[in-house]
Amino acid sequence: KNQVEQSPQSLIILEGKNCTLQCNYTVSPFSNLRWYKQDTGRGPVSLTIMTFSENTKSNGRYTATLDADTKQSSLHITASQLSDSASYICVVSASNAGNMLTFGGGTRLMVKP
Amino acid sequence: KAGVTQTPRYLIKTRGQQVTLSCSPISGHRSVSWYQQTPGQGLQFLFEYFSETQRNKGNFPGRFSGRQFSNSRSEMNVSTLELGDSALYLCASSGGTDRRAPLHFGNGTRLTVT
């Protein structure tokens, strides 16, 4: 069964600090891995998309890494801001499933001043 | 360019009723997919439509159905509502031909079943 596990479930950090969120998956055959940011009451917004051959991708202060051998990904947030407070969702697509995605449970990040 | 628009934003229905949710994709996008988000189960895929045809379907009962019109707008219908159907329903659009293309989500319809 395809699964995506994220850790930690929640995280509190101080403004200006860095943090790393983790994602482990068992989706097969692998197509791509996406990180989304979801603010409360709004739909998810795409941060990065990585295919099998990509092991790092950045979007501003967000840097995602992918290790397809160990089936792990991380999202690193640099110099956090209050606006980074949101849920971060890891999503994995199987290559035989079109747009049918497997979602992780998300990490709820709170950045405090 | 306008984003994905979902209507209504909030709905309150009674158990046993049916409901129809609407989604207007980004102009030019031909794929529309629907998702259910609950605190307990997180985001779960319902189904995807591409050029008026259902291309993929998640593991939900037949009470959940959808359709797509020739202008790519999509509707989702839930019949015989149950309390457990209370959730945020999100739709997303994409061009539909590139599996690596990002999905653009609407802000969802919050359905409460009493």
Side-chain angles (χ1 to χ4, degrees), chain B residues 25-55:
Chain B
I26 290 173
S27 179
H29 283 188
R30 295 162 62 190
S31 169
V32 173
S33 48
W34 288 89
Y35 305 84
Q36 181 194 67
Q37 187 173 33
T38 60
Q41 298 293 323
L43 269 160
Q44 293 182 283
F45 170 78
L46 281 157
F47 31 66
E48 182 211 359
Y49 286 86
F50 179 79
S51 293
E52 301 180 66
T53 301
Q54 188 179 85
R55 189 158 69 170

Side-chain angles (χ1 to χ4, degrees), chain A residues 62-109:
Chain A
Y62 301 101
T63 299
T65 65
L66 173 65
D67 185 334
D69 291 330
T70 62
K71 298 187 177 181
Q72 295 180 324
S73 176
S74 65
L75 180 69
H76 185 76
I77 304 174
T78 304
S80 61
Q81 299 176 358
L82 298 179
S83 59
D84 293 330
S85 295
S87 287
Y88 292 84
I89 303 170
C90 176
V91 188
V92 183
S93 174
S95 58
N96 59 357
N99 269 3
M100 198 164 84
L101 307 173
T102 304
F103 292 84
T107 292
R108 180 92 189 143
L109 174 65

Side-chain angles (χ1 to χ4, degrees), chain A residues 34 38 43 49 95 97 100, chain B residues 37 45 56 99-101 106-107:
Chain A
R34 308 159 187 239
Q38 185 175 23
I49 299 174
S95 58
M100 198 164 84
Chain B
Q37 187 173 33
F45 170 78
N56 278 307
R99 290 179 178 180
R100 297 163 300 174
N107 286 327

Side-chain angles (χ1 to χ4, degrees), chain B residues 42-107:
Chain B
L43 269 160
Q44 293 182 283
F45 170 78
L46 281 157
F47 31 66
E48 182 211 359
Y49 286 86
F50 179 79
S51 293
E52 301 180 66
T53 301
Q54 188 179 85
R55 189 158 69 170
N56 278 307
K57 189 178 190 307
N59 189 26
F60 276 80
R63 300 184 297 106
F64 292 82
S65 63
R67 59 177 175 168
Q68 187 179 33
F69 302 96
S70 58
N71 61 358
S72 293
R73 190 178 71 85
S74 178
E75 287 183 347
M76 189 190 96
N77 185 274
V78 188
S79 62
T80 320
L81 283 166
E82 301 177 359
L83 296 179
D85 296 334
S86 294
L88 179 66
Y89 290 88
L90 293 160
C91 83
S93 75
S94 72
T97 54
D98 182 358
R99 290 179 178 180
R100 297 163 300 174
L103 296 177
H104 299 268
F105 285 86
N107 286 327

